[in-house]
Amino acid sequence: MTDAPETLSPETKLELITRNLQEVLGEEELKTILSERDVKLYWGTAPTGKPHVGYFVPMVKIADFLKAGCHVTILMADIHAFLDNEKAPFDLVTMRTKYYEQVIRSMLSSIGVPLEKLTFVVGSSYELSPKFSMDNYLLASKVTEHDAKKAGSEVVKQVSLPLLSGLLYPGMQALDEEYLGVDAQFGGVDQRKIFTFAEKYLPKLGYKKRIHMMNPMLPGLQGDKMSSSDPNSKIDLLDTSKAVSTKVSKAFCPEKEVEGNGVLSFVKFVLFPASSQRLGSPEFVIQRPEKFGGSTVYSDYETLERDFVEGLVHPGDLKGSVAAALNQLLEPIRQHFDTPEMQQLILEAYPPPVAAPKVVKQKKKHNKRPEDAGTDAAAAAATSEQSVEEKLADTHI
């Protein structure tokens, strides 16, 4: 990707920044800033479960932001990961933070995004400072329990006995906007309640309200939200080529239906933008044998969707083509992690679960005469006494 030309108009920058977004809060402010200078924004991620292919959605938007000349910061929100119902101890979160940075860098490289224009920041590098802590306390004195709980309801893990840490999460994310010095925050639409929370409460501390930009949530393979905690809904970035093809082949993709179709959504929000980034223009190829009409090259999503709805593209052909294109994106990431150093990082970030020790049940001896039981007890006592004597004999003072 080349640097944004100096002659790029504010209108063109706005189109790049907002395309494929589901919602923008503060678009007028965005237009005002673009008429004066480039936008500063950040995207944050909490290093918990392993990132999946759904992370390509924010990656391709980050590519758009950079094309538009934006100054982009990527926040590795390690403290947030720890606060989210203590999904992992902090030493494990530290290793996952390192893993996430490697994953994000390799994902961006795989779609042709230059990394030199990005800034990576770890949350604990400033969130533990006295000033941030004092602001956090000030915010806590103004935020109601109701608002804090509501703000985190879509993001913080919901449990029957919620921890106080989950109530701190939204306020810290709001303060991140001020401490990172940005004009805008970008995230999934599941972050909307935290974004409106920040708009309400940051001005109460004397800080300005920021712009908020949201991308849609990518449906999972079974039609629901793609989630790191649900192995049936996602494709891991390091899945083998065969595993990717198998998972895509089993995905929810009803003939002629668009609603909730995760395969079509992936083409729209990842494969078309990624190909545009890599090749200079959007392109997606439906691969078919000649006897079924041969391959078809699409240069826009709308035409592909129309042909799918009309039955001109079969779900089986769509799935096979998506698997092929996705494996092409994932191969550089697999290669990046195919080193002893990266394999060790994976092991330290996501150690295999320790198997619970097997409990060996003692066989019960039934119908034993009382005198036999007494004999057994005496023998055991003698053995124990002998053992103690032997140990004393071996002890030198």
Side-chain angles (χ1 to χ4, degrees), residues 333-351:
I333 302 173
R334 296 186 192 114
Q335 291 178 5
H336 178 77
F337 281 91
D338 190 22
T339 66
E341 180 184 3
M342 291 295 104
Q343 290 297 309
Q344 182 63 30
L345 177 59
I346 295 171
L347 192 62
E348 293 176 357
Y350 299 94

Side-chain angles (χ1 to χ4, degrees), residues 56-366:
F56 272 114
V57 176
M59 295 303 106
V60 296
K61 274 312 302 174
I62 287 171
D64 283 342
F65 297 149
L66 292 172
K67 276 186 179 179
C70 297
H71 303 282
V72 180
T73 296
I74 294 179
L75 173 66
M76 315 301 291
D78 55 343
I79 301 267
H80 291 79
F82 180 71
L83 289 177
D84 190 359
N85 202 47
E86 200 174 354
K87 289 180 178 176
F90 200 75
D91 55 346
L92 201 57
V93 169
T94 300
M95 299 311 301
R96 291 179 179 180
T97 299
K98 295 178 181 179
Y99 175 77
Y100 263 59
E101 180 170 347
Q102 290 296 323
V103 162
I104 290 168
R105 287 179 178 276
S106 62
M107 289 180 76
L108 290 169
S109 295
S110 78
I111 59 174
V113 178
L115 303 178
E116 60 270 13
K117 296 181 69 176
L118 292 170
T119 301
F120 286 83
V121 176
V122 177
S124 58
S125 67
Y126 65 88
E127 289 172 346
L128 300 178
S129 68
K131 188 174 187 305
F132 188 97
S133 296
M134 194 65 228
D135 270 348
N136 205 15
Y137 292 138
L138 287 172
L139 192 61
S141 72
K142 301 178 184 298
V143 174
T144 65
E145 183 267 348
H146 171 272
D147 283 1
K149 187 175 181 180
K150 178 183 176 183
S153 61
E154 297 280 338
V155 177
V156 178
K157 185 178 180 180
Q158 302 299 298
V159 293
S160 57
L161 295 173
L163 301 175
L164 177 61
S165 59
L167 300 179
L168 298 176
Y169 192 113
M172 292 183 67
Q173 185 168 335
L175 289 172
D176 287 336
E177 297 178 348
E178 175 66 23
Y179 280 76
L180 291 172
V182 297
D183 306 304
Q185 183 179 174
F186 164 61
V189 72
D190 60 340
Q191 302 272 339
R192 193 182 195 281
K193 291 178 181 178
I194 290 182
F195 290 168
T196 56
F197 172 93
E199 292 185 7
K200 176 180 179 179
Y201 281 104
L202 275 188
K204 293 181 184 294
L205 297 186
Y207 298 139
K208 67 178 182 179
K209 181 172 70 174
R210 264 59 179 199
I211 301 160
H212 294 102
M213 301 180 286
M214 290 157 272
N215 61 255
M217 302 306 294
L218 193 68
L221 298 179
Q222 306 306 319
D224 300 319
K225 172 185 171 182
M226 192 173 289
S227 169
S228 294
S229 60
D230 182 2
N232 295 319
S233 76
K234 66 184 180 74
I235 295 173
D236 288 334
L237 293 168
L238 300 181
D239 274 348
T240 65
S241 176
K242 183 178 179 181
V244 170
S245 298
T246 300
K247 288 183 177 182
V248 174
S249 70
K250 296 178 180 178
F252 177 76
C253 185
E255 191 171 1
K256 300 182 180 180
E257 289 187 24
V258 176
E259 188 68 28
N261 191 322
V263 180
L264 272 178
S265 294
F266 194 79
V267 177
K268 178 179 181 179
F269 293 108
V270 175
L271 295 181
F272 267 115
S275 66
S276 180
Q277 179 68 26
R278 292 167 60 240
L279 307 174
S281 60
E283 178 182 295
F284 178 69
V285 181
I286 290 290
Q287 302 175 1
R288 282 180 296 222
E290 287 297 329
K291 63 180 179 180
F292 295 122
S295 298
T296 303
V297 179
Y298 289 91
S299 58
D300 64 273
Y301 171 77
E302 290 71 23
T303 304
L304 172 64
E305 182 183 293
R306 183 197 65 206
D307 284 358
F308 183 80
V309 171
E310 293 178 0
L312 299 177
V313 175
H314 188 272
D317 295 327
L318 177 64
K319 289 179 180 182
S321 302
V322 166
L326 178 53
N327 273 319
Q328 189 175 14
L329 277 182
L330 294 179
E331 189 54 33
I333 302 173
R334 296 186 192 114
Q335 291 178 5
H336 178 77
F337 281 91
D338 190 22
T339 66
E341 180 184 3
M342 291 295 104
Q343 290 297 309
Q344 182 63 30
L345 177 59
I346 295 171
L347 192 62
E348 293 176 357
Y350 299 94
V354 178
K358 292 184 178 180
V359 178
V360 180
K361 292 185 177 180
Q362 297 291 334
K363 292 184 178 180
K364 292 182 179 180
K365 297 180 180 180
H366 301 287

Side-chain angles (χ1 to χ4, degrees), residues 363-381:
K363 292 184 178 180
K364 292 182 179 180
K365 297 180 180 180
H366 301 287
N367 303 322
K368 181 174 282 192
R369 292 194 301 271
E371 57 268 26
D372 292 339
T375 302
D376 289 347

